[in-house]
Amino acid sequence: MSKFFCDTNCELWYTRFDDFDAQCIKMPYTVNGEERFYDLGRETDNRKFFDAMRAGASVKTQALNENDYLEYFEPVLAAGEDILYVHFSSAMSGTFQSMEKAMDTLKEKYPERKITVVDTKNISMGAGMTVYYAAKMHESGASDEEVVQFVEKFREKVRVYFTVDDLVYLKRGGRLSAFKAMMGTILKLKPIISTSEEGKLVNILNAKGRKKALHTLVDYLESDRVDLNYPISIMNADTDEDTAVIVEMIKEKYPNAEIWEQLVGPVVGCHCGPDTIGMIFVAKED
């Protein structure tokens, strides 16, 4: 028997996460030097966080260390359970180096126990969508191997598209050069960002203005052949008006679609900034 783990960079809202017998690894961030840990919105005021960013607060993310992972995993192994961890993209963080060191230590200490990890190759609800359905499988009695096979297939169908309002946050995070950020601001370009097969963030298009960017996000539902057997998730960094616009456009095209509206959390928010808006959905198989 295994204990299902995910992490808060999957951004699966706590009310949905609580449906499962699972544990969630809280990822750290700092606001003006004060360390905090995201909790899937359980007590964190996400809107207050974005207000602080708008007011000029210094926000940063950081990696967990080896001891942090040991504190999460060892009690489970010591109690005689295995571990199944479905995590956010390893290509986006150095935290997995610490995780691997912790797992090497634990495998040596508990050789009879099994630790299984599988990469969603995504972040935010791109990872969260995969975690949600993987956890449902796990709850229904699927083996760890069956869940891994599911994740490796399902992650290929998950689509993530988002646009930021202010390029300065991508520049600070090293995902956009200072020159490109300056020129994009002057030309009022809004990048459309997605995730690659390797699990990295990639700028796939530059839309002329915010309105065009929002329409572009919705257009991907048709071009990528959205599978309405799964929800469409709208993630927003405290931008209710634009969220309402996108939801209305989706309902006009797909009146029967299930739509999840949710706030971006602080860890992801550190890199994308206030007023970011994104759309996550599952595409039909080719």
Side-chain angles (χ1 to χ4, degrees), residues 4 20-21 132-143 146-147:
F4 188 98
F20 307 114
D21 179 19
Y132 180 78
Y133 288 101
K136 287 187 73 171
M137 277 191 68
H138 186 263
E139 291 274 306
S140 69
S143 69
E146 288 171 329
V147 174

Side-chain angles (χ1 to χ4, degrees), residues 227-244:
D227 188 341
L228 295 178
N229 290 306
Y230 300 95
I232 299 169
S233 179
I234 309 301
M235 299 294 295
N236 81 90
D238 194 28
T239 176
D240 294 338
E241 290 185 9
D242 286 342
T243 300

Side-chain angles (χ1 to χ4, degrees), residues 25-91:
I25 296 172
K26 296 180 179 180
M27 305 307 292
Y29 64 102
T30 63
V31 179
N32 292 328
E34 178 188 348
E35 186 177 51
R36 304 175 184 179
F37 293 85
Y38 189 43
D39 58 2
L40 299 178
R42 192 179 304 277
E43 295 181 5
T44 303
D45 188 334
N46 294 8
R47 294 187 189 276
K48 186 177 179 180
F49 170 79
F50 288 115
D51 283 342
M53 287 190 76
R54 293 185 181 105
S58 172
V59 299
K60 296 180 181 179
T61 60
Q62 58 196 65
L64 294 174
N65 60 44
E66 182 179 349
N67 285 334
D68 293 326
Y69 284 105
L70 289 174
E71 289 178 3
Y72 276 107
F73 294 144
E74 185 161 18
V76 174
L77 300 176
E81 290 186 286
D82 295 330
I83 288 172
L84 172 61
Y85 178 21
V86 183
H87 60 75
F88 80 99
S89 175
S90 59

